[in-house]
Structure formats: C-alpha cells, structure tokens
Amino acid sequence: TTTTTINTTTGPGCRLREVDRLYLWTSSGFPHQNYPDNFKCTVIGRSAVIKFLTFKLQPGCRDNVSLTLPYSRVETFCGERSGEYLLPNFNFRSTFKTDSEINNVGFNISVKGTKSSCHKRLQLRNSTTRSNISIRPKGEERRLYQCEWWIEAPVGKRIQVTRLRTFIASTPNCIKDYLVLNGEGMKNYPASSSLIFCERKVTLQPIITKDNLLYVVYHGWTPDSSGFVLRYKVV
C-alpha cells in the first residue's frame, strides 16, 4: 500500500507526468497560460499524500478541485491554497472543473505514496480462523490518526466481523471522526455498500462480507477519539 499508481486520466488537457516516482498533476495550460473555461477532467489512482505546489483558482468555488473520500464524501478545494493533504485511504479520485467565466493561473499538484505502519494489507491463510485489528492511539497521537486495512481471505471464503468496539467521538454525520467498513470489495468505500461508525459503542451483530474482501479505514481528528477493536473470523 505504499505505491502510487495513476490508473486513469479522463478529459482533454489533463496533464500527468512522472518525475522520480512522483506524479505531477497540472491544470490545462499551466504554467504558460490560464486554465480554460467550461472545463472538466478527472484523475484516478492510488496515493497517500497530495501537495499543492501551486494552486490559484478564481475567487469563490465555481472553479474547484474536488477529492472523493470514504463514504461518498467530497472535499472541495478552491481559491488559493498551499501545503499538503493526507488522504485517509489509498484510493485517489480527483476532479477539476471550471465554469464559463473568470479563470486564473491554475494548479500544479504532486501525488505520491508514503510509507506508513498504519496502512496494511492482510492476506489470510486457510488456517486463519479468528483474528483482530485494532488501533488505540493515546495522548497527542489521537489527533489526525489515519489507518487503513485491506483484509483478504482465501478465494471461496468470506470474512465475518464478530465484535466491534469503537472509541470514536460522536460528530454530526460522522464528518470528522469515523470508522468505515466495506465488505463488497470497493476500496473507495461508497456509502451505498459501506457501514460507518462514529460513537463509543459495542456492536455484536455479525457483519459478513459479500466475498473474500474486507476494507477498513479509520480517521481520527479530535483528541476524544481513541480508535477501535475489530474481531473477525473466516467463514
């Protein structure tokens, strides 16, 4: 899960180039001319960190770059900004779109993978019957803690979550702190096929995957969130 791979680019003038294992995504015309009006393009791939090297769009949000997050959430960037943005999961899908008037310099965004002890791929064997995953950050570590697990059982088997205990701060619509599970093999965690948790609770009702894949992503933003413990078995 430490490799950045750009899989798809859609739309005219969407420029992606690789430089020393770093991908650069630039708006159409950058840096020689402003980006065009009535424009849209999408980039899809895997990543952990994006960095705004240059980002200057028209004031307001009629021109923007949107980023798809777990549970069908969308983060929108507009105006001017700099710095880095750490994705909670390794699915990267971003769209740039503009309206019919007023443009600006555009953007140059780097897309890269990063090594993390908190993003893991677990390939289970036939002999694996029960196990668990957990994260219990403490103190200052609780703030902005992001982890993801891709759990894969042998083909023909399924994964059953037998017990889930969450220590997550409750926020409106689970917007800041959350745990999302997807048992249908979808790494982008769409709301239509995922379960989301954002409270202090023990869940005993079994959750069974559709096939042999279970994807789990945890995002802790506030110090009041201190992780979860998830027990599962192969069935």
Side-chain angles (χ1 to χ4, degrees):
T1 60
T2 61
T3 300
T4 302
T5 304
I6 299 300
N7 298 321
T8 306
T9 303
T10 62
C14 246
R15 294 177 52 203
L16 264 174
R17 54 194 176 91
E18 183 180 5
V19 180
D20 296 330
R21 297 184 179 181
L22 178 71
Y23 285 90
L24 295 178
W25 180 30
T26 58
S27 57
S28 181
F30 183 92
H32 305 295
Q33 61 186 25
N34 289 0
Y35 58 80
D37 295 325
N38 296 317
F39 179 82
K40 182 178 181 180
C41 70
T42 298
V43 175
I44 304 170
R46 294 181 186 173
S47 174
V49 178
I50 62 174
K51 186 174 183 178
F52 300 93
L53 305 175
T54 300
F55 194 89
K56 294 183 179 181
L57 307 185
Q58 67 154 301
C61 277
R62 298 180 68 177
D63 295 348
N64 63 74
V65 170
S66 60
L67 181 66
T68 302
L69 299 178
Y71 210 67
S72 302
R73 307 289 177 80
V74 176
E75 182 82 21
T76 302
F77 307 100
C78 47
E80 296 188 24
R81 67 171 297 140
S82 59
E84 292 186 341
Y85 186 91
L86 180 63
L87 297 172
N89 62 310
F90 268 69
N91 180 74
F92 173 70
R93 181 186 180 93
S94 190
T95 298
F96 172 49
K97 63 179 181 179
T98 70
D99 67 0
S100 61
E101 58 183 5
I102 306 176
N103 51 31
N104 208 320
V105 173
F107 61 81
N108 183 22
I109 298 174
S110 68
V111 183
K112 66 178 181 179
T114 183
K115 290 185 178 180
S116 169
S117 61
C118 214
H119 289 72
K120 299 180 180 180
R121 182 178 183 181
L122 306 177
Q123 293 182 293
L124 310 180
R125 300 179 179 180
N126 283 314
S127 58
T128 304
T129 55
R130 297 176 184 271
S131 190
N132 69 83
I133 58 174
S134 65
I135 186 69
R136 294 299 310 276
K138 298 180 180 180
E140 289 299 318
E141 290 184 347
R142 292 186 184 182
R143 183 172 293 278
L144 198 55
Y145 213 89
Q146 301 182 135
C147 301
E148 184 178 24
W149 292 261
W150 297 348
I151 307 174
E152 183 178 349
V155 175
K157 299 288 187 178
R158 295 194 294 172
I159 301 169
Q160 178 178 319
V161 177
T162 57
R163 178 184 173 93
L164 174 62
R165 187 173 184 181
T166 52
F167 307 87
I168 304 174
S170 179
T171 56
N173 299 317
C174 303
I175 197 64
K176 290 185 177 181
D177 302 68
Y178 54 77
L179 174 73
V180 180
L181 311 182
N182 184 275
E184 294 192 10
M186 306 186 75
K187 294 177 181 176
N188 58 337
Y189 303 91
S192 60
S193 62
S194 302
L195 298 173
I196 191 168
F197 304 86
C198 63
E199 57 188 331
R200 296 179 180 272
K201 183 180 180 181
V202 176
T203 301
L204 297 176
Q205 183 177 355
I207 302 169
I208 303 178
T209 61
K210 184 176 181 179
D211 49 27
N212 65 322
L213 300 172
L214 174 64
Y215 297 131
V216 181
V217 62
Y218 169 74
H219 181 273
W221 178 263
T222 64
D224 291 334
S225 291
S226 56
F228 71 98
V229 178
L230 181 152
R231 296 179 183 175
Y232 63 87
K233 66 179 181 179
V234 177
V235 294

